[in-house]
Amino acid sequence: MNLALRDIRHHLGRFLMTAVGLGLLLGVVLSMIGIYRGLVADALGLVRAPGAEIWVVETGTRGPFAEGSRIPGDTRESIARLAGVTETGSMTFQSLEATHRDRKLRLQVVGYEPGRLGGPPAIAEGRGLARSRFEIVADVKTGLVVGERIGLGGDVFTVAGTTRDAVSSGGDPVVWMALRDSQVLQFRLSPAPARREAARGPVVSGAPDTINAVVARVAADASIEAVVEAAKRWKHLAAMTEDEQEAILTRSVVEKARQQIGLFTTVLLTVSTVIIALIIYTMTMDKIREIATLKLIGAPDGRIVGLIVQQALALGLIGFSVGASLIASVKDFFPRRVVMLPEDAASLGLVVIVVCLVASGLGVRLALRVDPATALGG
Amino acid sequence: MTIDTPRPLVECRALAKHFGEGETRVDALRAVDLELWPGEVVGLLGPSGSGKTTLLNLIGCIVEPSAGTLCLDGETVWEGKWLRPDLRRLRLEKIGFIFQFHNLLPFLDVSENVALVLDMAGVARADTFARAHELLDYLEVGHRKTAKPSSLSGGEAQRVAIARALANRPRIILADEPTAALDGERAGIVMNLLRKVAVEHSATVVVVTHDEKIWNRFDRIFHLRDGRIASIGTL
């Protein structure tokens, strides 16, 4: 005869309300984990989008995501000539803020050479860049639609196509444009500084042929490490594999966010433990006379401990299910991506079980100290 | 042919209990000698603080004696120390408790309250409920077997509590103010039931009470005063 189940059934409404309340708290814990996963997925998405195996950047930097990197535009040709390299592409990266339809729009602009490495991984609607200038492919999170026009840095661009889930590590939606457009956008001086530069020396016209990185792919039978070492022989260049680039991004760019979210999650789990402990303690306090009666009529400690621990576990698991269901149903409404992985949910489920066992300790201690004589008299 | 010598179900020899030591020492019970026999319904009477609840707790193995000897159903259970390691098992096997306020578990229905004792004793599930229903019918509350304790009248709840006390066929029934919450008629019904149990199960029923209207229902009455049995009355 399961006493825990029967006691829960007896106070079903109160128990479910408590479990739902706990579920909301556990839902917040789960959403924090999901937000962190989303942060990493967003950050890595930009690195993975070009499908590159090698990143070549300015020497002494960990660019182009963790640090600024500027290299000559002809670097791509040099890298393309290395043995084993099959594809290359020049790229620029910059954040900018534009005004569109009377609202501020923060964008991550990626410049690439159409037909080479570095373009959007998949087009959701419309087409990729077909003209050499003044076209963009924008993520749907920008709110831009195919055929729409937007002014960026003094030029007007037409939206040729859209992508999905392409955002920077800061959460800004990505816009792809032709390399030349992005160079103008990034390096062209506005009129006053341009006049000052002209007064200092040779006339600067347009934008310099500078890029932030070169991406490359190597043949299946070639060694990536060998190509990286070959690229490093140019003293003005640094090269790294995609794994190294991802490691830099996760360790440098999202590390603080990870620590912040990790600490917050720990605080929430601690609060959950205290709340579960208090709920179980209160539920045990409410049953002091029943526990004394059980002891008096001969119930062993195992039966009484089972009553409390099983209720704590039921509370935690129902709360966890409520929280997980809630977050799964609302995660798409978050402003930033929330990624719920089955292994994260399973890990949190295990943590909740441990938390419930720890939290039930107070209630168990109280129950074991109840004097059976309490059952006698008024 | 052998003749069984009757033996008391409860036997106390110089049983004593004190709380505290030195100046704070309180002698709750002083060298009580008592023998209770099968089929007897006895009352423990006395003013508050006279030691009657302490005596009930000692017989019920809820409180450890300070001195003397305690034998239950022919087995010495305390003599300087507990001679049984598992007192709850001892209570489960030998003693049935009836409380003033029934103490039925509110989250179990009537038959589950009775079956729980058998479940704890390791009886098979089907047998526990068969026995519970049999007892409830015997005590004339079988028609309420699926009811929750909160929906029972005082008399019905006390009969269910008696059924629970009898479930494991104990031969010692300890009742603490079992009629205090009942009117005269219902108190009489409960006492009749306890008498029936004592006779039909060869059990000893020990009742602690202040309820004067049931004093004439006891075979013997032990008056306690200052931790001693001051007098023993009979009908």
Side-chain angles (χ1 to χ4, degrees), chain A residues 24-165:
Chain A
L24 294 176
L25 194 61
L26 293 174
V28 174
V29 175
L30 205 53
S31 68
M32 294 308 293
I33 297 170
I35 288 168
Y36 166 68
R37 291 288 185 196
L39 202 69
V40 172
D42 286 346
L44 296 183
L46 200 54
V47 177
R48 289 170 181 168
E53 291 166 318
I54 294 170
W55 286 75
V56 180
V57 296
E58 184 183 351
T59 187
T61 73
R62 297 186 302 158
F65 303 107
E67 289 181 85
S69 159
R70 284 184 170 204
I71 53 176
D74 60 2
T75 305
R76 190 194 65 74
E77 283 81 8
S78 306
I79 299 299
R81 284 194 293 273
L82 292 175
V85 173
T86 55
E87 280 184 87
T88 53
S90 299
M91 296 188 77
T92 63
F93 299 88
Q94 64 180 309
S95 292
L96 66 81
E97 193 168 279
T99 305
H100 182 64
R101 288 190 225 143
D102 295 330
R103 67 186 177 99
K104 295 280 184 194
L105 202 58
R106 277 203 62 79
L107 302 171
Q108 172 76 42
V109 176
V110 176
Y112 78 104
E113 299 167 281
R116 295 191 193 281
L117 273 186
I123 300 293
E125 193 182 340
R127 57 171 173 76
L129 300 184
R131 286 165 30 196
S132 60
R133 301 292 302 270
F134 308 124
E135 275 192 346
I136 58 171
V137 170
D139 189 82
V140 290
K141 284 208 172 85
T142 58
L144 297 169
V145 294
V146 174
E148 201 170 6
R149 292 158 70 83
I150 180 171
L152 300 171
D155 294 318
V156 177
F157 291 80
T158 303
V159 179
T162 57
T163 60
R164 286 190 192 283
D165 294 332

Side-chain angles (χ1 to χ4, degrees), chain A residues 1 3 6-7 10 289-290 293-301 303-304 371-373 375-378, chain B residues 57 62 88-89 91-92 97 99-101 103 105-108 112 115-117 119-120 125 129 148 164 176:
Chain A
M1 194 181 298
L3 299 180
R6 281 166 170 79
D7 189 39
H10 185 63
R289 198 175 176 86
E290 285 79 21
T293 303
L294 280 168
K295 284 185 172 184
L296 198 62
I297 63 177
D301 282 341
R303 192 117 192 183
I304 294 162
D371 183 354
L376 298 170
Chain B
N57 287 347
I62 300 166
R88 287 193 213 164
R89 191 77 202 171
R91 288 200 290 268
L92 186 63
F97 290 92
F99 309 92
Q100 179 178 351
F101 295 103
N103 287 30
L105 299 178
F107 48 86
L108 301 181
E112 286 170 341
L116 175 65
V117 178
D119 185 54
M120 289 190 301
R125 183 181 163 80
F129 281 94
K148 280 285 163 65
R164 179 177 66 184
D176 183 31

Side-chain angles (χ1 to χ4, degrees), chain B residues 182-225:
Chain B
L182 304 177
D183 59 30
E185 185 186 354
R186 289 177 201 286
I189 293 170
V190 166
M191 289 311 296
N192 285 344
L193 279 172
L194 291 178
R195 163 79 53 201
K196 187 174 168 185
V197 166
V199 172
E200 293 182 6
H201 292 80
S202 294
T204 284
V205 178
V206 184
V207 180
V208 166
T209 186
H210 286 101
D211 192 355
E212 290 181 18
K213 60 185 176 282
I214 60 168
W215 285 4
N216 60 350
R217 303 294 191 122
F218 297 122
D219 298 321
R220 286 190 290 166
I221 295 174
F222 295 86
H223 287 274
L224 281 95
R225 188 167 297 128

Side-chain angles (χ1 to χ4, degrees), chain A residues 157-180:
Chain A
F157 291 80
T158 303
V159 179
T162 57
T163 60
R164 286 190 192 283
D165 294 332
V167 294
S168 70
S169 59
D172 301 330
V174 175
V175 163
W176 280 269
M177 62 173 59
L179 184 67
R180 189 62 197 151

